Amino acid sequence: EDQVTQSPEALRLQEGESSSLNCSYTVSGLRGLFWYRQDPGKGPEFLFTLYSAGEEKEKERLKATLTKKESFLHITAPKPEDSATYLCAVQADTDKLIFGTGTRLQVFP
Amino acid sequence: DGGITQSPKYLFRKEGQNVTLSCEQNLNHDAMYWYRQDPGQGLRLIYYSQIVNDFQKGDIAEGYSVSREKKESFPLTVTSAQKNPTAFYLCASSAAFRGGNTEAFFGQGTRLTVV
């Protein structure tokens, strides 16, 4: 069965304290792995797509990496405005898009 | 501006009523999705469609129905058979996989409340 697991469920960081979020997955025929940011009451905002093991993408303080079984979202020197829920999703060969339950990140000054 | 529009933003339903949530996209995407989000449970897939006039059940399709008569539209009906419909509903679309970008883009959601 296709499955996506994210950890930790919640993460509290001091401003400037770097950390990583994990997304592990099992899926038949991975077409892509996606990271999203979601603010309360809003739709998810697309961040990155990763297609193959070894691939990395960066955007400002965020860097996403991919292996054959998991992906990491590294946050370097976070700021309070980075506080949000970060969602990971995988797309199977049927076009089915499966999400994890997310990591709720709080960054405080 | 290209994007996905969901309406209404807030919807109230009386018990026993059917309601339809609208989702329209002008991104020329083939695939469209409906998700339900409850606190602490992430996004759960209700239905998805890869092409006009075709759709597949997701993980929690019971009590819901969809149609895909036009490429740009994918309305979701929450029927009276759905026992716990109060939730945040999200619609998304993506280009079907053809070796290019396949990321999904989301609307701003519809919050449905049963009164």
Short mmCIF file of all heavy atoms in Angstrom, two decimals, chain A residues 1 9 30-32 34 36 38-46 48-49 51 85 87 89 91-102 104, chain B residues 9 31 33 35 37 40-45 48 50 56-59 88 90 92 94-97 100-109 111:
data_model
loop_
_atom_site.label_atom_id
_atom_site.label_comp_id
_atom_site.label_asym_id
_atom_site.label_seq_id
_atom_site.Cartn_x
_atom_site.Cartn_y
_atom_site.Cartn_z
N GLU A 1 0.84 -1.20 0.00
CA GLU A 1 0.00 0.00 0.00
C GLU A 1 0.88 1.25 0.00
O GLU A 1 1.86 1.34 0.72
CB GLU A 1 -0.90 0.00 1.23
CG GLU A 1 -1.84 1.19 1.31
CD GLU A 1 -2.66 1.20 2.59
OE1 GLU A 1 -2.70 0.16 3.28
OE2 GLU A 1 -3.24 2.23 2.91
N GLU A 9 5.95 15.24 14.34
CA GLU A 9 4.63 15.85 14.14
C GLU A 9 4.70 17.34 14.37
O GLU A 9 4.01 18.12 13.70
CB GLU A 9 3.62 15.23 15.10
CG GLU A 9 3.23 13.82 14.75
CD GLU A 9 2.10 13.31 15.63
OE1 GLU A 9 1.51 14.12 16.36
OE2 GLU A 9 1.84 12.11 15.58
N LEU A 30 7.28 5.55 -8.16
CA LEU A 30 7.36 6.96 -7.76
C LEU A 30 7.57 7.84 -8.99
O LEU A 30 8.52 7.68 -9.74
CB LEU A 30 8.51 7.17 -6.78
CG LEU A 30 8.72 8.62 -6.34
CD1 LEU A 30 7.60 9.07 -5.41
CD2 LEU A 30 10.08 8.79 -5.65
N ARG A 31 6.67 8.81 -9.15
CA ARG A 31 6.83 9.77 -10.25
C ARG A 31 7.41 11.07 -9.74
O ARG A 31 8.03 11.81 -10.50
CB ARG A 31 5.50 10.03 -10.94
CG ARG A 31 5.04 8.84 -11.73
CD ARG A 31 3.94 9.18 -12.68
NE ARG A 31 3.68 8.10 -13.61
CZ ARG A 31 2.68 8.08 -14.46
NH1 ARG A 31 1.83 9.09 -14.49
NH2 ARG A 31 2.51 7.07 -15.28
N GLY A 32 7.17 11.39 -8.48
CA GLY A 32 7.71 12.61 -7.93
C GLY A 32 7.39 12.72 -6.47
O GLY A 32 6.42 12.14 -5.98
N PHE A 34 6.95 15.76 -3.45
CA PHE A 34 6.67 17.18 -3.39
C PHE A 34 6.67 17.66 -1.95
O PHE A 34 6.21 16.96 -1.05
CB PHE A 34 5.30 17.48 -4.00
CG PHE A 34 5.12 16.89 -5.37
CD1 PHE A 34 4.56 15.63 -5.52
CD2 PHE A 34 5.51 17.58 -6.49
CE1 PHE A 34 4.41 15.06 -6.78
CE2 PHE A 34 5.36 17.02 -7.76
CZ PHE A 34 4.80 15.77 -7.90
N TYR A 36 5.30 20.97 0.39
CA TYR A 36 4.41 22.11 0.41
C TYR A 36 4.49 22.79 1.77
O TYR A 36 4.79 22.16 2.79
CB TYR A 36 2.95 21.68 0.20
CG TYR A 36 2.62 21.22 -1.18
CD1 TYR A 36 2.85 19.90 -1.56
CD2 TYR A 36 2.07 22.08 -2.10
CE1 TYR A 36 2.55 19.46 -2.84
CE2 TYR A 36 1.75 21.66 -3.39
CZ TYR A 36 2.00 20.34 -3.75
OH TYR A 36 1.69 19.91 -5.02
N GLN A 38 1.93 25.03 4.33
CA GLN A 38 0.54 25.40 4.52
C GLN A 38 0.41 26.30 5.75
O GLN A 38 0.82 25.92 6.84
CB GLN A 38 -0.37 24.17 4.68
CG GLN A 38 -1.84 24.54 4.74
CD GLN A 38 -2.74 23.34 4.84
OE1 GLN A 38 -2.35 22.27 5.33
NE2 GLN A 38 -3.97 23.48 4.36
N ASP A 39 -0.19 27.47 5.54
CA ASP A 39 -0.52 28.37 6.63
C ASP A 39 -1.95 28.10 7.08
O ASP A 39 -2.78 27.63 6.29
CB ASP A 39 -0.34 29.82 6.20
CG ASP A 39 1.12 30.14 5.91
OD1 ASP A 39 1.93 29.99 6.85
OD2 ASP A 39 1.46 30.49 4.78
N PRO A 40 -2.28 28.41 8.33
CA PRO A 40 -3.63 28.09 8.85
C PRO A 40 -4.74 28.68 7.99
O PRO A 40 -4.71 29.85 7.62
CB PRO A 40 -3.61 28.71 10.24
CG PRO A 40 -2.17 28.71 10.63
CD PRO A 40 -1.41 28.98 9.37
N GLY A 41 -5.72 27.84 7.64
CA GLY A 41 -6.88 28.29 6.89
C GLY A 41 -6.63 28.53 5.41
O GLY A 41 -7.51 29.03 4.70
N LYS A 42 -5.44 28.17 4.92
CA LYS A 42 -5.11 28.39 3.52
C LYS A 42 -4.82 27.06 2.81
O LYS A 42 -4.57 26.04 3.44
CB LYS A 42 -3.85 29.27 3.43
CG LYS A 42 -3.97 30.63 4.09
CD LYS A 42 -4.78 31.57 3.25
CE LYS A 42 -4.88 32.96 3.86
NZ LYS A 42 -3.56 33.64 3.89
N GLY A 43 -4.82 27.11 1.47
CA GLY A 43 -4.41 25.94 0.72
C GLY A 43 -2.90 25.79 0.73
O GLY A 43 -2.17 26.77 0.92
N PRO A 44 -2.40 24.57 0.55
CA PRO A 44 -0.95 24.36 0.53
C PRO A 44 -0.28 25.12 -0.61
O PRO A 44 -0.83 25.22 -1.71
CB PRO A 44 -0.82 22.86 0.32
CG PRO A 44 -2.09 22.28 0.85
CD PRO A 44 -3.13 23.30 0.51
N GLU A 45 0.93 25.62 -0.33
CA GLU A 45 1.71 26.36 -1.30
C GLU A 45 2.89 25.50 -1.74
O GLU A 45 3.65 25.00 -0.91
CB GLU A 45 2.22 27.66 -0.68
CG GLU A 45 3.17 28.46 -1.55
CD GLU A 45 3.80 29.62 -0.79
OE1 GLU A 45 3.30 29.94 0.30
OE2 GLU A 45 4.80 30.16 -1.27
N PHE A 46 3.03 25.29 -3.03
CA PHE A 46 4.08 24.43 -3.56
C PHE A 46 5.47 24.99 -3.27
O PHE A 46 5.71 26.20 -3.44
CB PHE A 46 3.89 24.27 -5.07
CG PHE A 46 5.04 23.60 -5.77
CD1 PHE A 46 5.26 22.24 -5.62
CD2 PHE A 46 5.91 24.34 -6.54
CE1 PHE A 46 6.33 21.63 -6.25
CE2 PHE A 46 6.97 23.73 -7.19
CZ PHE A 46 7.19 22.38 -7.04
N PHE A 48 8.78 22.47 -3.55
CA PHE A 48 9.77 21.74 -4.35
C PHE A 48 9.17 20.48 -4.95
O PHE A 48 8.27 19.88 -4.38
CB PHE A 48 10.94 21.26 -3.47
CG PHE A 48 11.67 22.34 -2.74
CD1 PHE A 48 11.55 22.46 -1.37
CD2 PHE A 48 12.50 23.22 -3.41
CE1 PHE A 48 12.24 23.44 -0.68
CE2 PHE A 48 13.19 24.21 -2.74
CZ PHE A 48 13.05 24.31 -1.37
N THR A 49 9.78 20.06 -6.07
CA THR A 49 9.56 18.73 -6.64
C THR A 49 10.91 18.03 -6.75
O THR A 49 11.89 18.63 -7.21
CB THR A 49 8.96 18.79 -8.05
OG1 THR A 49 7.79 19.59 -8.05
CG2 THR A 49 8.62 17.39 -8.54
N TYR A 51 12.53 14.29 -8.23
CA TYR A 51 12.13 13.17 -9.08
C TYR A 51 13.00 11.92 -8.89
O TYR A 51 12.51 10.80 -9.11
CB TYR A 51 12.17 13.56 -10.55
CG TYR A 51 11.09 14.53 -10.96
CD1 TYR A 51 11.40 15.86 -11.24
CD2 TYR A 51 9.78 14.12 -11.06
CE1 TYR A 51 10.40 16.74 -11.61
CE2 TYR A 51 8.78 15.01 -11.44
CZ TYR A 51 9.10 16.31 -11.70
OH TYR A 51 8.12 17.18 -12.08
N THR A 85 2.85 24.68 8.66
CA THR A 85 2.87 23.22 8.55
C THR A 85 3.49 22.86 7.21
O THR A 85 3.11 23.41 6.17
CB THR A 85 1.45 22.64 8.65
OG1 THR A 85 0.93 22.92 9.96
CG2 THR A 85 1.47 21.13 8.43
N LEU A 87 4.15 20.00 4.45
CA LEU A 87 3.55 18.75 3.98
C LEU A 87 4.41 18.11 2.90
O LEU A 87 4.95 18.80 2.04
CB LEU A 87 2.16 19.03 3.38
CG LEU A 87 1.11 19.61 4.31
CD1 LEU A 87 -0.07 20.13 3.51
CD2 LEU A 87 0.65 18.57 5.31
N ALA A 89 4.35 15.02 -0.10
CA ALA A 89 3.43 14.21 -0.90
C ALA A 89 4.21 13.43 -1.94
O ALA A 89 5.25 13.89 -2.41
CB ALA A 89 2.38 15.09 -1.58
N GLN A 91 3.71 11.17 -5.67
CA GLN A 91 2.81 10.86 -6.78
C GLN A 91 3.17 9.48 -7.32
O GLN A 91 4.32 9.24 -7.71
CB GLN A 91 2.92 11.89 -7.88
CG GLN A 91 1.88 11.71 -8.97
CD GLN A 91 1.78 12.92 -9.88
OE1 GLN A 91 2.79 13.50 -10.23
NE2 GLN A 91 0.56 13.30 -10.22
N ALA A 92 2.17 8.59 -7.34
CA ALA A 92 2.39 7.23 -7.82
C ALA A 92 2.20 7.17 -9.34
O ALA A 92 1.80 8.17 -9.96
CB ALA A 92 1.39 6.28 -7.14
N ASP A 93 2.43 6.02 -9.92
CA ASP A 93 2.34 5.91 -11.37
C ASP A 93 0.91 5.98 -11.88
O ASP A 93 0.68 6.03 -13.08
CB ASP A 93 3.04 4.64 -11.86
CG ASP A 93 2.53 3.40 -11.15
OD1 ASP A 93 1.53 3.49 -10.43
OD2 ASP A 93 3.16 2.33 -11.32
N THR A 94 -0.05 6.00 -10.97
CA THR A 94 -1.46 6.15 -11.37
C THR A 94 -1.90 7.60 -11.35
O THR A 94 -3.07 7.90 -11.55
CB THR A 94 -2.36 5.37 -10.39
OG1 THR A 94 -2.12 5.88 -9.07
CG2 THR A 94 -2.08 3.90 -10.45
N ASP A 95 -0.99 8.52 -11.09
CA ASP A 95 -1.28 9.95 -10.87
C ASP A 95 -1.87 10.22 -9.49
O ASP A 95 -2.13 11.37 -9.15
CB ASP A 95 -2.23 10.51 -11.93
CG ASP A 95 -1.48 10.94 -13.19
OD1 ASP A 95 -0.27 11.19 -13.09
OD2 ASP A 95 -2.12 11.01 -14.26
N LYS A 96 -2.09 9.20 -8.71
CA LYS A 96 -2.61 9.39 -7.36
C LYS A 96 -1.58 10.17 -6.54
O LYS A 96 -0.39 9.85 -6.56
CB LYS A 96 -2.86 8.02 -6.71
CG LYS A 96 -3.66 8.05 -5.45
CD LYS A 96 -3.93 6.61 -4.99
CE LYS A 96 -4.76 6.59 -3.73
NZ LYS A 96 -5.04 5.20 -3.28
N LEU A 97 -2.02 11.19 -5.82
CA LEU A 97 -1.14 12.06 -5.05
C LEU A 97 -1.45 11.85 -3.58
O LEU A 97 -2.56 12.14 -3.12
CB LEU A 97 -1.38 13.50 -5.47
CG LEU A 97 -0.44 14.58 -4.96
CD1 LEU A 97 0.99 14.29 -5.39
CD2 LEU A 97 -0.88 15.93 -5.47
N ILE A 98 -0.46 11.33 -2.83
CA ILE A 98 -0.69 10.91 -1.45
C ILE A 98 0.11 11.79 -0.51
O ILE A 98 1.32 11.94 -0.69
CB ILE A 98 -0.26 9.44 -1.27
CG1 ILE A 98 -0.97 8.56 -2.30
CG2 ILE A 98 -0.56 8.96 0.15
CD1 ILE A 98 -0.18 7.37 -2.69
N PHE A 99 -0.56 12.32 0.52
CA PHE A 99 0.09 13.23 1.45
C PHE A 99 0.39 12.56 2.79
O PHE A 99 -0.34 11.66 3.23
CB PHE A 99 -0.82 14.43 1.72
CG PHE A 99 -0.74 15.48 0.66
CD1 PHE A 99 -1.46 15.34 -0.52
CD2 PHE A 99 0.05 16.61 0.83
CE1 PHE A 99 -1.38 16.30 -1.51
CE2 PHE A 99 0.13 17.57 -0.15
CZ PHE A 99 -0.59 17.42 -1.33
N GLY A 100 1.43 13.05 3.44
CA GLY A 100 1.68 12.73 4.84
C GLY A 100 0.85 13.65 5.72
O GLY A 100 0.14 14.54 5.22
N THR A 101 0.95 13.47 7.03
CA THR A 101 0.14 14.27 7.96
C THR A 101 0.78 15.60 8.31
O THR A 101 0.17 16.42 8.97
CB THR A 101 -0.13 13.48 9.25
OG1 THR A 101 1.11 13.06 9.80
CG2 THR A 101 -1.02 12.28 8.99
N GLY A 102 2.02 15.82 7.86
CA GLY A 102 2.64 17.13 8.03
C GLY A 102 3.46 17.28 9.29
O GLY A 102 3.31 16.51 10.26
N ARG A 104 4.29 20.37 11.95
CA ARG A 104 3.92 21.74 12.35
C ARG A 104 5.14 22.40 12.96
O ARG A 104 5.60 22.01 14.02
CB ARG A 104 2.76 21.68 13.33
CG ARG A 104 2.12 23.02 13.64
CD ARG A 104 0.85 22.85 14.46
NE ARG A 104 1.11 22.22 15.75
CZ ARG A 104 0.83 20.97 16.05
NH1 ARG A 104 0.29 20.17 15.15
NH2 ARG A 104 1.08 20.49 17.25
N LYS B 9 -16.12 29.99 -0.07
CA LYS B 9 -15.06 29.85 0.92
C LYS B 9 -15.60 29.21 2.20
O LYS B 9 -14.92 28.41 2.85
CB LYS B 9 -14.46 31.22 1.23
CG LYS B 9 -13.21 31.16 2.09
CD LYS B 9 -12.56 32.52 2.20
CE LYS B 9 -11.29 32.42 3.05
NZ LYS B 9 -10.61 33.73 3.16
N ALA B 31 -5.07 16.51 -14.70
CA ALA B 31 -5.44 15.83 -13.46
C ALA B 31 -6.01 16.81 -12.44
O ALA B 31 -5.52 17.94 -12.30
CB ALA B 31 -4.23 15.11 -12.86
N TYR B 33 -7.92 16.88 -8.29
CA TYR B 33 -8.02 16.11 -7.04
C TYR B 33 -8.93 16.84 -6.05
O TYR B 33 -8.98 18.07 -6.02
CB TYR B 33 -6.64 15.98 -6.38
CG TYR B 33 -5.53 15.48 -7.27
CD1 TYR B 33 -4.85 16.35 -8.11
CD2 TYR B 33 -5.14 14.14 -7.24
CE1 TYR B 33 -3.83 15.89 -8.93
CE2 TYR B 33 -4.11 13.69 -8.04
CZ TYR B 33 -3.46 14.57 -8.88
OH TYR B 33 -2.44 14.12 -9.69
N TYR B 35 -9.42 16.77 -1.77
CA TYR B 35 -8.93 16.29 -0.48
C TYR B 35 -9.81 16.85 0.63
O TYR B 35 -10.39 17.92 0.51
CB TYR B 35 -7.49 16.76 -0.24
CG TYR B 35 -6.48 16.14 -1.15
CD1 TYR B 35 -6.17 16.73 -2.36
CD2 TYR B 35 -5.84 14.96 -0.79
CE1 TYR B 35 -5.24 16.16 -3.22
CE2 TYR B 35 -4.90 14.38 -1.63
CZ TYR B 35 -4.61 14.99 -2.83
OH TYR B 35 -3.69 14.41 -3.67
N GLN B 37 -9.42 17.78 4.76
CA GLN B 37 -8.42 17.98 5.82
C GLN B 37 -9.13 18.19 7.14
O GLN B 37 -9.94 19.10 7.29
CB GLN B 37 -7.52 19.18 5.50
CG GLN B 37 -6.35 19.32 6.46
CD GLN B 37 -5.37 20.38 6.02
OE1 GLN B 37 -5.74 21.41 5.47
NE2 GLN B 37 -4.07 20.15 6.28
N GLY B 40 -4.99 17.54 12.52
CA GLY B 40 -4.09 16.46 12.90
C GLY B 40 -4.09 15.26 11.98
O GLY B 40 -3.44 14.26 12.28
N GLN B 41 -4.82 15.33 10.86
CA GLN B 41 -4.90 14.16 9.97
C GLN B 41 -4.36 14.41 8.58
O GLN B 41 -4.52 13.60 7.71
CB GLN B 41 -6.35 13.67 9.87
CG GLN B 41 -6.88 13.14 11.19
CD GLN B 41 -8.11 12.26 10.99
OE1 GLN B 41 -8.18 11.47 10.07
NE2 GLN B 41 -9.08 12.43 11.88
N GLY B 42 -3.76 15.52 8.33
CA GLY B 42 -3.21 15.79 7.02
C GLY B 42 -4.29 15.84 5.95
O GLY B 42 -5.46 16.08 6.24
N LEU B 43 -3.92 15.59 4.69
CA LEU B 43 -4.86 15.62 3.57
C LEU B 43 -5.21 14.20 3.17
O LEU B 43 -4.32 13.40 2.89
CB LEU B 43 -4.23 16.33 2.37
CG LEU B 43 -4.32 17.86 2.30
CD1 LEU B 43 -3.53 18.51 3.43
CD2 LEU B 43 -3.87 18.36 0.95
N ARG B 44 -6.50 13.92 3.13
CA ARG B 44 -6.95 12.59 2.71
C ARG B 44 -7.67 12.69 1.37
O ARG B 44 -8.54 13.54 1.19
CB ARG B 44 -7.86 11.98 3.79
CG ARG B 44 -7.11 11.65 5.08
CD ARG B 44 -8.01 10.90 6.05
NE ARG B 44 -9.03 11.79 6.60
CZ ARG B 44 -10.10 11.33 7.25
NH1 ARG B 44 -10.28 10.04 7.43
NH2 ARG B 44 -10.98 12.19 7.74
N LEU B 45 -7.30 11.80 0.46
CA LEU B 45 -7.79 11.86 -0.91
C LEU B 45 -9.21 11.32 -1.01
O LEU B 45 -9.49 10.18 -0.60
CB LEU B 45 -6.85 11.07 -1.81
CG LEU B 45 -7.14 11.07 -3.30
CD1 LEU B 45 -7.04 12.49 -3.87
CD2 LEU B 45 -6.17 10.14 -4.02
N TYR B 48 -10.07 11.52 -7.49
CA TYR B 48 -9.20 12.21 -8.42
C TYR B 48 -9.57 11.82 -9.84
O TYR B 48 -10.19 10.78 -10.08
CB TYR B 48 -7.72 11.95 -8.13
CG TYR B 48 -7.24 10.54 -8.33
CD1 TYR B 48 -6.39 10.22 -9.39
CD2 TYR B 48 -7.56 9.53 -7.43
CE1 TYR B 48 -5.91 8.93 -9.56
CE2 TYR B 48 -7.08 8.24 -7.59
CZ TYR B 48 -6.25 7.94 -8.64
OH TYR B 48 -5.78 6.66 -8.80
N GLN B 50 -8.00 11.87 -13.93
CA GLN B 50 -6.84 12.07 -14.81
C GLN B 50 -7.23 12.67 -16.15
O GLN B 50 -6.38 13.19 -16.88
CB GLN B 50 -6.14 10.73 -15.04
CG GLN B 50 -5.55 10.12 -13.78
CD GLN B 50 -5.14 8.67 -14.01
OE1 GLN B 50 -5.97 7.77 -14.00
NE2 GLN B 50 -3.86 8.46 -14.20
N GLN B 56 -11.46 8.40 -10.35
CA GLN B 56 -11.22 7.24 -9.50
C GLN B 56 -11.45 7.61 -8.04
O GLN B 56 -11.21 8.74 -7.63
CB GLN B 56 -9.78 6.74 -9.63
CG GLN B 56 -9.45 6.08 -10.95
CD GLN B 56 -9.26 7.07 -12.06
OE1 GLN B 56 -8.64 8.11 -11.85
NE2 GLN B 56 -9.77 6.76 -13.24
N LYS B 57 -11.89 6.62 -7.27
CA LYS B 57 -12.06 6.82 -5.84
C LYS B 57 -10.70 6.92 -5.16
O LYS B 57 -9.76 6.21 -5.50
CB LYS B 57 -12.85 5.67 -5.23
CG LYS B 57 -14.30 5.61 -5.68
CD LYS B 57 -15.02 4.47 -4.98
CE LYS B 57 -16.48 4.43 -5.40
NZ LYS B 57 -17.21 3.33 -4.73
N GLY B 58 -10.64 7.79 -4.16
CA GLY B 58 -9.48 7.86 -3.29
C GLY B 58 -9.69 7.00 -2.07
O GLY B 58 -10.42 6.01 -2.10
N ASP B 59 -9.11 7.41 -0.95
CA ASP B 59 -9.16 6.60 0.27
C ASP B 59 -10.45 6.75 1.06
O ASP B 59 -10.80 5.90 1.86
CB ASP B 59 -7.97 6.95 1.16
CG ASP B 59 -6.64 6.69 0.46
OD1 ASP B 59 -6.52 5.64 -0.22
OD2 ASP B 59 -5.73 7.53 0.56
N PHE B 88 -12.40 20.87 6.18
CA PHE B 88 -11.82 21.81 5.22
C PHE B 88 -11.55 21.02 3.95
O PHE B 88 -10.85 20.00 3.98
CB PHE B 88 -10.53 22.38 5.82
CG PHE B 88 -9.92 23.51 5.06
CD1 PHE B 88 -10.68 24.58 4.61
CD2 PHE B 88 -8.56 23.53 4.81
CE1 PHE B 88 -10.11 25.64 3.92
CE2 PHE B 88 -7.97 24.59 4.12
CZ PHE B 88 -8.76 25.64 3.68
N LEU B 90 -10.16 20.75 0.04
CA LEU B 90 -9.17 21.34 -0.86
C LEU B 90 -9.20 20.68 -2.22
O LEU B 90 -9.25 19.45 -2.32
CB LEU B 90 -7.77 21.20 -0.26
CG LEU B 90 -7.47 22.11 0.93
CD1 LEU B 90 -6.31 21.56 1.75
CD2 LEU B 90 -7.17 23.52 0.46
N ALA B 92 -7.21 20.45 -6.03
CA ALA B 92 -5.90 20.67 -6.64
C ALA B 92 -5.91 20.19 -8.08
O ALA B 92 -6.77 19.40 -8.48
CB ALA B 92 -4.82 19.93 -5.85
N SER B 94 -3.00 19.14 -11.48
CA SER B 94 -1.61 18.98 -11.94
C SER B 94 -1.61 18.51 -13.38
O SER B 94 -2.59 17.92 -13.85
CB SER B 94 -0.86 17.98 -11.05
OG SER B 94 -1.30 16.66 -11.28
N ALA B 95 -0.50 18.75 -14.05
CA ALA B 95 -0.31 18.20 -15.38
C ALA B 95 -0.09 16.71 -15.23
O ALA B 95 0.65 16.28 -14.36
CB ALA B 95 0.88 18.86 -16.05
N ALA B 96 -0.73 15.89 -16.03
CA ALA B 96 -0.50 14.45 -15.97
C ALA B 96 0.94 14.18 -16.35
O ALA B 96 1.53 14.90 -17.13
CB ALA B 96 -1.45 13.72 -16.92
N PHE B 97 1.54 13.14 -15.78
CA PHE B 97 2.96 12.88 -15.95
C PHE B 97 3.31 12.58 -17.39
O PHE B 97 2.80 11.65 -17.98
CB PHE B 97 3.37 11.69 -15.07
CG PHE B 97 4.84 11.42 -15.11
CD1 PHE B 97 5.72 12.21 -14.41
CD2 PHE B 97 5.35 10.39 -15.87
CE1 PHE B 97 7.08 11.97 -14.45
CE2 PHE B 97 6.70 10.13 -15.92
CZ PHE B 97 7.56 10.92 -15.20
N GLY B 100 7.51 15.80 -17.55
CA GLY B 100 7.74 17.20 -17.20
C GLY B 100 7.29 17.49 -15.78
O GLY B 100 7.18 16.60 -14.96
N ASN B 101 7.03 18.75 -15.50
CA ASN B 101 6.61 19.15 -14.16
C ASN B 101 5.24 18.57 -13.84
O ASN B 101 4.33 18.69 -14.64
CB ASN B 101 6.57 20.66 -14.05
CG ASN B 101 7.95 21.27 -14.19
OD1 ASN B 101 8.94 20.62 -13.91
ND2 ASN B 101 8.00 22.50 -14.63
N THR B 102 5.12 17.98 -12.66
CA THR B 102 3.86 17.36 -12.29
C THR B 102 3.34 17.85 -10.95
O THR B 102 2.44 17.27 -10.39
CB THR B 102 4.01 15.83 -12.22
OG1 THR B 102 5.00 15.52 -11.24
CG2 THR B 102 4.39 15.26 -13.56
N GLU B 103 3.91 18.93 -10.45
CA GLU B 103 3.46 19.42 -9.13
C GLU B 103 2.01 19.85 -9.18
O GLU B 103 1.52 20.34 -10.20
CB GLU B 103 4.34 20.58 -8.65
CG GLU B 103 4.42 21.77 -9.58
CD GLU B 103 5.58 21.68 -10.55
OE1 GLU B 103 6.09 20.55 -10.75
OE2 GLU B 103 5.95 22.71 -11.11
N ALA B 104 1.31 19.66 -8.07
CA ALA B 104 -0.09 20.03 -7.95
C ALA B 104 -0.19 21.41 -7.33
O ALA B 104 0.58 21.78 -6.45
CB ALA B 104 -0.84 19.01 -7.10
N PHE B 105 -1.18 22.17 -7.80
CA PHE B 105 -1.46 23.49 -7.26
C PHE B 105 -2.84 23.47 -6.64
O PHE B 105 -3.77 22.86 -7.18
CB PHE B 105 -1.36 24.55 -8.36
CG PHE B 105 0.03 24.68 -8.91
CD1 PHE B 105 0.41 23.96 -10.03
CD2 PHE B 105 0.96 25.49 -8.29
CE1 PHE B 105 1.71 24.05 -10.53
CE2 PHE B 105 2.25 25.58 -8.78
CZ PHE B 105 2.62 24.87 -9.90
N PHE B 106 -2.97 24.16 -5.51
CA PHE B 106 -4.19 24.08 -4.72
C PHE B 106 -4.99 25.37 -4.77
O PHE B 106 -4.44 26.46 -4.94
CB PHE B 106 -3.83 23.80 -3.26
CG PHE B 106 -3.49 22.37 -2.99
CD1 PHE B 106 -2.22 21.88 -3.25
CD2 PHE B 106 -4.45 21.49 -2.49
CE1 PHE B 106 -1.90 20.56 -3.02
CE2 PHE B 106 -4.14 20.17 -2.25
CZ PHE B 106 -2.87 19.71 -2.52
N GLY B 107 -6.30 25.19 -4.59
CA GLY B 107 -7.16 26.32 -4.33
C GLY B 107 -7.05 26.72 -2.86
O GLY B 107 -6.28 26.13 -2.10
N GLN B 108 -7.85 27.71 -2.47
CA GLN B 108 -7.77 28.23 -1.11
C GLN B 108 -8.73 27.52 -0.16
O GLN B 108 -8.79 27.85 1.03
CB GLN B 108 -8.03 29.73 -1.10
CG GLN B 108 -6.85 30.52 -1.66
CD GLN B 108 -5.56 30.20 -0.91
OE1 GLN B 108 -5.42 30.43 0.28
NE2 GLN B 108 -4.58 29.64 -1.62
N GLY B 109 -9.46 26.55 -0.67
CA GLY B 109 -10.24 25.70 0.22
C GLY B 109 -11.67 26.18 0.46
O GLY B 109 -11.98 27.35 0.31
N ARG B 111 -14.49 25.69 3.60
CA ARG B 111 -14.75 25.16 4.94
C ARG B 111 -16.24 24.86 5.06
O ARG B 111 -17.07 25.78 5.00
CB ARG B 111 -14.31 26.14 6.02
CG ARG B 111 -14.36 25.55 7.42
CD ARG B 111 -13.63 26.38 8.44
NE ARG B 111 -12.21 26.48 8.19
CZ ARG B 111 -11.31 25.54 8.47
NH1 ARG B 111 -11.69 24.41 9.02
NH2 ARG B 111 -10.04 25.73 8.22
#
